[in-house]
Amino acid sequence: MKTLNLIGAGKLGQTLARLWQQQGLFRIQQVLTLSPESAQKACNFINGSHNADLAQAATSFEALIPADVWLLATPDGIIEDSAARLHGQPELLKPESIVFHCSGTLGSNILIGGQSSASSVASIHPIHSFASPAKSLDAFSGSYCGYEGGDMALQTLLPAFSAIGAELFEIDGRQKTLYHAASVMACNYLVGLMDASLACFEAAGVSRSQAQQLLLPITHQTLDNALKKSPEEALTGPISRGDLSTVQSHLDKLQPLSNQLSDIYRSLGQQTVQVAEQQEQPASSESLDAIRSLLANRQNPL
Ligand SMILES: NC(=O)c1ccc[n+]([C@@H]2O[C@H](COP(=O)([O-])OP(=O)(O)OC[C@H]3O[C@@H](n4cnc5c(N)ncnc54)[C@H](OP(=O)(O)O)[C@@H]3O)[C@@H](O)[C@H]2O)c1
């Protein structure tokens, strides 16, 4: 069985290592984190109830021994430095050793150096929120994971991820930052958008908790339509109908309330006009053009 050393063993590192250890896919050999205490805690989690001589805490880079596979699961800002430190100790890496990380935004190319060629490095990004390792042990299976990297690395890593339930799909390493921005818009900014909507409801005299309740069915339905069908099929409302005066009235109320809320409305409204233009029976191009200019102009004079 291939050995795996883990540099950085937080939420993601502990979960993956425990799943691989449990299923006999890799032998987790050493764990290095910032503090010996957290490395030991991570080893206890990874080893579970097994008392065998499984994962061992390492106290420093100098205490590491060679391994077949290296997972660098530190915060993103430290991955490149960790790789450089690894390459600084050539005895730790053989030409057939694999080095990978799980960042959503960095490519695998940052891992190349020393003994590691493009063929032996990879990045595999799970689209999964590892908020609690204990919960992720059960919840990880079925998670989509975007991968890119060298043939030799992927030959070992893809089966290991598949075996713990990952749904793998290939991404272009050169476009990883855009791929990550896309996920951030869909997930993190959706939260920001919900907050903006709740702020408007509150200003209209509807409490946040009541607004949360009333938004739940309609937002679920909209999301379902947009993702299972298409944005064009999901779109309803004033922009879809080409209703300029309603959009104007919204802006008249939003502008004095908050520049930020009105900017969000304008910016997403312009994207929405683009969707409206693609609908099967679009509103007239005159009305959509008028709405687009209204939304693009912060002064919105009529
Ligand atoms: N969390 C997620 O939901 C998620 C999802 C997809 C991808 N990822 C990716 O997974 C990677 C790890 O994220 P995470 O959320 O698991 O991070 P995390 O919970 O913050 O854990 C980071 C780990 O790195 C260790 N560390 C920090 N600096 C170090 C250094 N200089 N040398 C060695 N170890 C160091 C920390 O040690 P201490 O414990 O001693 O502080 C900790 O064990 C990142 O690339 C992230 O983008 C995370």
Side-chain angles (χ1 to χ4, degrees):
M1 193 190 312
K2 282 187 170 28
T3 53
L4 184 148
N5 277 1
L6 188 57
I7 299 184
K11 298 179 276 296
L12 173 138
Q14 288 183 37
T15 307
L16 294 180
R18 164 97 177 238
L19 288 170
W20 284 323
Q21 180 99 292
Q22 255 176 0
Q23 298 194 29
L25 294 155
F26 292 127
R27 182 165 70 78
I28 311 303
Q29 183 178 252
Q30 281 184 302
V31 174
L32 175 67
T33 62
L34 268 185
S35 70
E37 294 76 27
S38 71
Q40 188 51 56
K41 229 173 125 190
C43 287
N44 295 343
F45 179 81
I46 293 165
N47 293 336
S49 54
H50 298 89
N51 290 319
D53 60 334
L54 298 172
Q56 304 278 328
T59 47
S60 67
F61 258 89
E62 290 65 38
L64 291 169
I65 58 172
D68 301 309
V69 180
W70 293 80
L71 168 52
L72 308 188
T74 60
D76 285 2
I78 298 163
I79 293 176
E80 199 164 359
D81 277 0
S82 305
R85 291 199 67 180
L86 202 52
H87 298 314
Q89 286 179 251
E91 70 281 5
L92 294 180
L93 291 170
K94 299 166 265 176
E96 62 277 12
S97 296
I98 290 164
V99 183
F100 79 107
H101 67 69
C102 293
S103 160
T105 186
L106 303 170
S108 59
N109 55 339
I110 63 158
L111 301 174
I112 298 172
Q115 295 272 28
S116 299
S117 64
S119 164
S120 61
V121 299
S123 78
I124 301 191
H125 173 236
I127 304 182
H128 177 94
S129 175
F130 291 85
S132 144
K135 285 192 183 142
S136 285
L137 289 179
D138 288 330
F140 179 77
S141 184
S143 301
Y144 286 90
C145 295
Y147 71 85
E148 57 85 25
D151 290 346
M152 188 177 89
L154 294 176
Q155 242 171 41
T156 295
L157 296 174
L158 297 188
F161 271 87
S162 281
I164 55 173
E167 297 286 345
L168 293 152
F169 65 98
E170 190 168 10
I171 52 179
D172 179 345
R174 293 163 305 177
Q175 302 298 349
K176 263 201 95 173
T177 308
L178 263 185
Y179 151 92
H180 192 239
S183 322
V184 165
M185 276 198 276
C187 301
N188 307 160
Y189 286 14
L190 183 60
V191 176
L193 183 62
M194 291 302 117
D195 191 57
S197 169
L198 293 176
C200 285
F201 271 115
E202 243 182 338
V206 181
S207 74
R208 280 178 89 89
S209 60
Q210 194 184 352
Q212 281 175 293
Q213 272 184 341
L214 65 92
L215 280 177
L216 202 62
I218 191 165
T219 49
H220 269 276
Q221 198 186 352
T222 307
L223 206 53
D224 235 42
N225 288 340
L227 296 182
K228 289 191 181 153
K229 294 177 183 168
S230 68
E232 300 84 75
E233 285 174 89
L235 185 63
T236 57
I239 293 184
S240 171
R241 292 191 294 272
D243 182 350
L244 179 68
S245 60
T246 297
V247 175
Q248 175 70 61
S249 68
H250 290 168
L251 286 170
D252 290 344
K253 287 289 181 190
L254 282 170
Q255 190 83 52
L257 183 64
S258 146
N259 274 344
Q260 188 162 300
L261 290 177
S262 126
D263 284 347
I264 291 169
Y265 186 97
R266 288 172 188 288
S267 170
L268 283 176
Q270 289 172 74
Q271 185 72 27
T272 307
V273 171
Q274 218 168 291
V275 178
E277 286 171 333
Q278 304 303 319
Q279 291 193 290
E280 206 170 285
Q281 291 182 306
S284 72
S285 55
E286 292 75 21
S287 61
L288 291 178
D289 284 346
I291 292 175
R292 195 199 318 274
S293 333
L294 176 66
L295 291 168
N297 179 0
R298 212 172 188 216
Q299 299 311 311
N300 66 73
L302 255 191

